[in-house]
Amino acid sequence: MTAQQRFAANAAHELRTSPAVQRAAAEIGLADADPQRVAWIRAELIKAADTSGRLIESLLLLASTDQGIQRREHVETDETVAVVTAGLSDEAHEKAITVTTTVEPLTVPGDPVLHAHLVRNLVANAVAYNHQGGRICVDLTGRVLRVSNTGPEIPADTLPRLFEPFRRLNERAHTAGEGAGLGLSIVASIARAHGAEATADANPGGGLSVRIRFP
């Protein structure tokens, strides 16, 4: 199976999953008029709709970045890193994660919206795949953005595949807030569109360090 065929098959599977969950929730939940059942079905349908929306947005973003950047402007990357990281502080606080941010001034040509998506996906992944009371280090020095987090141990042979669409460290559990496995593939795509390079290393003791090296 080619990479394109594998992507299409994975995308079709992900897009089918949410309607299947919605149908099952409706059939089971609405079979009983109990108020608790109605509340449950409402929550399940909202959750499934949110999952579908995030997946579609991610697929569209991935497709658009693979087409390259149509218009470039000067992007204050240091400001983007500071603002986006601060915007995810509530999610980090919920897991008692300590976030350390170090930024130096850096201006690069590119798309400011895509830059924000790149940083957001990196930091959001660092929060999601972390443990309670963990740490995240966001560092922008020279022309390299590095986002490092504590978390589960990552086998070295899985690192290159983490940048492929729909790749996860573990099998999908279909839990609330679980991603579709597109975060790092979008990061890699945005980096390529800006002439940058995305690499990842497993941290000793667990967790991941992702580096974006701007030209």
Side-chain angles (χ1 to χ4, degrees), residues 53-170:
R54 287 195 300 269
L55 175 58
I56 291 170
E57 288 177 2
S58 294
L59 286 171
L60 289 172
L61 180 60
L62 186 60
S64 66
T65 54
D66 281 342
Q67 298 300 315
I69 300 174
Q70 303 301 317
R71 184 173 61 89
R72 294 175 183 267
E73 58 185 87
H74 294 298
V75 181
E76 305 293 339
T77 305
D78 51 312
E79 293 183 7
T80 300
V81 170
V83 171
V84 171
T85 303
L88 290 165
S89 60
D90 288 345
E91 287 85 343
H93 181 73
E94 288 178 2
K95 297 177 70 171
I97 294 173
T98 301
V99 181
T100 303
T101 305
T102 303
V103 296
E104 294 180 353
L106 175 64
T107 301
V108 299
D111 186 312
V113 174
L114 292 181
H115 266 251
H117 274 290
L118 182 149
V119 178
R120 185 176 297 109
N121 280 5
L122 284 177
V123 180
N125 268 18
V127 173
Y129 299 102
N130 212 323
H131 54 68
Q132 191 75 19
R135 300 183 308 279
I136 295 174
C137 177
V138 181
D139 184 90
L140 178 65
T141 55
R143 303 189 69 83
V144 178
L145 170 62
R146 176 178 176 270
V147 178
S148 179
N149 69 309
T150 52
E153 291 192 15
I154 301 174
D157 59 351
T158 67
L159 289 174
R161 296 196 298 273
L162 291 179
F163 288 105
E164 297 177 8
F166 302 107
R167 289 288 187 174
R168 305 179 185 85
L169 182 60
N170 299 310

Side-chain angles (χ1 to χ4, degrees), residues 21 65 84 171 201:
V21 171
T65 54
V84 171
E171 290 296 323
D201 295 299

Side-chain angles (χ1 to χ4, degrees), residues 3-27:
Q4 186 176 9
Q5 289 173 325
R6 184 166 59 250
F7 177 86
N10 287 332
H13 172 73
E14 295 290 344
L15 290 170
R16 280 196 298 265
T17 297
S18 187
V21 171
Q22 291 174 322
R23 181 180 180 85
E27 289 178 344

